[in-house]
Amino acid sequence: MYWDKKHETMPRPDLEILQLERLRETLSVALNSPFYRERLTQAGVTPESLSNLEDARKIPFTTKDDLRSQGQALLTRPLEEMVRLHASSGTTGQATVIYYTRGDIETWAELLARSMYMTGMRPTDVFQNMMGYGLFTGGLGFHYGAERLGALTIPAGAGNSRRQVQLMQQFNTTALHIIPSYALYLLATFESMGVDPRDLPLRLAFIGAEPHTGDVRRRIEEAYGLKAYNSYGLSELNGPGVAFECPEQNGLHLWEDHFLLEVIDPRTLEPLSPGEVGEVVLTNLSRRGMPVLRYRTRDLAAVEPGTCPCGRSHRRISRIQGRTDDMLILKGVNIFPMQIEKVLLAMPEVGTNYLVELSRKNFNDLMLVKVEVQQEFFQEDLKYLKSLQKKITNALKSELLVTPLVELVEPMTLPRSEGKALRIMDLRDK
Ligand code: DLL
């Protein structure tokens, strides 16, 4: 049931001792990088100055801008000791590049093997990796993890939908790694090929890399006839394999022997208590080539209170509720895209895709929500569609406190992405 019982179930006091040890070690490694040498010296932080985990708060934060502007100044060893690089898929600005030593690649693979094993994947499984194999960490990260676990791994890559279905049929795929919006999208391909995914031996899916609601998970589980596990990570901290759900599906265990977790109020920077949603801040505890300290992820989540019946001692975070930088301000009201998805996907009439367009007319902000309707409902008469449009408008209004325009569109007419979904288009001038 456990991949690494000792570390996964380590009693909290022991785990915290291990964290402090690894934090000190990481700090002494980080001091070899020009960037951290300067940062830490300025802040007067040395490995010896940390006498407990709370002292980690003396370490200055690292931001995405630091990683972008400092680049190789974060490396702790000569470039020739690095064996791989990846880059973040950020939609704005320059990519952030992360370098790995051979040892870092191994630790990362170990974490992913541990994560997948936790959900029940075994060497007898056939694993189809449907994520991009490139600079994006989702493809190669999981690939190495699945091989380490011992599963037969199909490096399918992203896109090419009909081929994906054929591969599943040909090799009797049992486990999928897939972006949740793409999993919904792929259902139309199954339909057009006359294949019901529930008739295939699929039993597990790992879904992550983009925010999604519990309703999206439920739809994936029902349509494919499998269990879907939320998987969280970011390139800056390796990639996937930072936090993962166990069979309890009650939050994501954050692997605390490899990452130091903090949840802070993004305005005051003060730590928050379990149950309070704030910005996730993470520190690598085992990466050696390019450790990142107190990274402000901009992802919003809460630590789940209490312990998990699965026996793992690592704390759980909630699903990611949004990002500090994807909040929309419309007519002065703060809106997170996930609120929109929550309302839409809770309605059975709504299909698998939607798009939010923000525009400005006569100094007035407008929000247009284009919603694909399920085929069976779209065939209804105009009166029915009008009432559905009204129902969706009212539901969005009561959640968001602003009234959007809602446009119902036919299934499969909105743009699709094979990678992370693009749900918001802000056409207002900045
Ligand atoms: O998306 C790593 C990854 C690959 C995770 C495959 C899971 C599966 P980046 O491209 O650097 O890395 O993007 C990281 O994506 O800061 C979150 O905002 C978002 N994200 C990742 N996983 C989740 C998730 C990969 N499960 C950024 N839920 C992160 C919500 C997620 N958001």
Side-chain angles (χ1 to χ4, degrees):
M1 162 183 186
Y2 303 108
W3 174 259
D4 176 355
K5 185 162 188 230
K6 175 175 163 218
H7 288 108
E8 291 175 52
T9 62
M10 196 173 246
R12 292 281 329 162
D14 298 348
L15 183 56
E16 286 168 15
I17 291 170
L18 179 70
Q19 284 192 302
L20 183 59
E21 246 171 57
R22 290 190 171 177
L23 178 64
R24 289 202 185 116
E25 211 176 304
T26 302
L27 229 62
S28 50
V29 171
L31 282 166
N32 295 321
S33 77
F35 170 72
Y36 278 121
R37 194 175 320 126
E38 194 185 326
R39 270 284 162 97
L40 295 173
T41 312
Q42 258 171 20
V45 184
T46 58
E48 303 72 47
S49 69
L50 304 178
S51 45
N52 53 48
L53 286 175
E54 277 74 65
D55 283 346
R57 293 179 60 199
K58 296 182 192 162
I59 303 171
F61 291 112
T62 305
T63 63
K64 194 166 188 84
D65 282 342
D66 292 328
L67 298 193
R68 275 202 194 121
S69 62
Q70 299 294 320
Q72 296 186 357
L74 273 103
L75 299 188
T76 61
R77 296 178 194 194
L79 195 62
E80 53 266 34
E81 285 186 40
M82 306 296 152
V83 301
R84 172 132 31 111
L85 66 76
H86 279 286
S88 82
S89 56
T91 44
T92 48
Q94 222 181 306
T96 316
V97 183
I98 304 298
Y99 299 82
Y100 306 73
T101 62
R102 192 177 305 282
D104 292 337
I105 297 282
E106 273 172 24
T107 314
W108 184 23
E110 181 69 15
L111 277 175
L112 277 161
R114 180 200 281 187
S115 302
M116 288 185 272
Y117 194 89
M118 169 167 74
T119 67
M121 188 157 105
R122 295 292 177 268
T124 43
D125 276 293
V126 178
F127 172 71
Q128 187 163 327
N129 193 7
M130 303 165 69
M131 291 229 180
Y133 275 68
L135 291 173
F136 177 52
T137 51
L140 283 172
F142 266 78
H143 184 100
Y144 276 54
E147 283 188 355
R148 194 174 190 93
L149 188 149
L152 174 62
T153 303
I154 311 175
N160 212 344
S161 303
R162 292 179 71 86
R163 177 107 180 102
Q164 297 285 3
V165 174
Q166 286 159 356
L167 289 172
M168 288 179 208
Q169 291 176 305
Q170 187 179 353
F171 299 111
N172 290 321
T173 303
T174 57
L176 300 176
H177 182 211
I178 189 164
I179 291 190
S181 54
Y182 186 64
L184 293 178
Y185 165 57
L186 196 64
L187 290 172
T189 307
F190 274 105
E191 208 177 314
S192 72
M193 293 171 74
V195 180
D196 184 343
R198 282 168 300 198
D199 294 338
L200 301 177
L202 296 169
R203 61 185 204 92
L204 295 169
F206 310 121
I207 55 172
E210 68 179 10
H212 57 282
T213 54
D215 278 309
V216 165
R217 185 236 293 275
R218 233 176 333 274
R219 284 190 181 203
I220 294 172
E221 290 191 327
E222 277 166 23
Y224 285 80
L226 46 67
K227 277 272 180 206
Y229 293 97
N230 193 349
S231 139
Y232 168 75
L234 58 165
S235 335
E236 293 86 337
L237 274 299
N238 284 355
V242 173
F244 222 95
E245 277 182 324
C246 72
E248 302 289 332
Q249 293 184 314
N250 57 358
L252 295 81
H253 287 281
L254 192 130
W255 297 126
E256 293 185 90
D257 50 342
H258 293 268
F259 305 96
L260 186 69
L261 165 68
E262 298 167 76
V263 176
I264 64 165
D265 179 323
R267 276 157 304 150
T268 64
L269 309 181
E270 289 302 310
L272 294 175
S273 309
E276 293 180 326
V277 175
E279 182 176 350
V280 176
V281 172
L282 295 169
T283 300
N284 281 119
L285 294 178
S286 55
R287 197 160 67 183
R288 289 294 166 254
M290 185 179 162
V292 175
L293 310 176
R294 298 197 83 206
Y295 185 66
R296 293 195 58 179
T297 64
R298 305 190 194 178
D299 290 324
L300 295 168
V303 169
E304 297 286 357
T307 54
C308 185
C310 79
R312 289 178 184 81
S313 49
H314 301 243
R315 285 180 296 168
R316 290 159 294 129
I317 55 167
S318 65
R319 69 175 57 250
I320 303 295
Q321 321 265 310
R323 288 176 55 83
T324 54
D325 52 3
D326 73 7
M327 189 179 76
L328 306 167
I329 304 181
L330 199 82
K331 298 181 181 173
V333 179
N334 299 348
I335 296 169
F336 284 102
M338 274 301 100
Q339 288 177 281
I340 301 172
E341 178 166 308
K342 197 175 95 195
V343 170
L344 295 180
L345 275 282
M347 297 188 181
E349 301 91 340
V350 170
T352 54
N353 203 2
Y354 64 92
L355 182 70
V356 180
E357 278 179 16
L358 303 172
S359 57
R360 189 168 285 149
K361 206 170 174 186
N362 301 332
F363 304 102
N364 206 355
D365 286 340
L366 294 177
M367 177 193 272
L368 172 64
V369 184
K370 294 183 178 172
V371 183
E372 284 186 5
V373 177
Q374 298 272 23
Q375 194 65 54
E376 65 214 84
F377 295 100
F378 204 79
Q379 283 153 358
E380 298 280 341
D381 62 10
L382 207 60
K383 199 163 139 227
Y384 170 81
L385 289 175
K386 278 266 169 231
S387 76
L388 176 59
Q389 186 183 32
K390 194 151 186 217
K391 179 174 147 190
I392 297 176
T393 308
N394 289 339
L396 284 169
K397 185 177 167 191
S398 70
E399 169 76 27
L400 309 176
L401 309 175
V402 291
T403 312
L405 295 168
V406 172
E407 183 182 324
L408 303 183
V409 303
E410 267 187 84
M412 303 303 292
T413 50
L414 293 176
R416 309 268 160 181
S417 158
E418 287 166 357
K420 302 191 187 210
L422 180 69
R423 305 284 202 195
I424 311 284
M425 278 174 59
D426 198 341
L427 308 169
R428 300 174 293 182
D429 346 304
K430 291 282 171 329

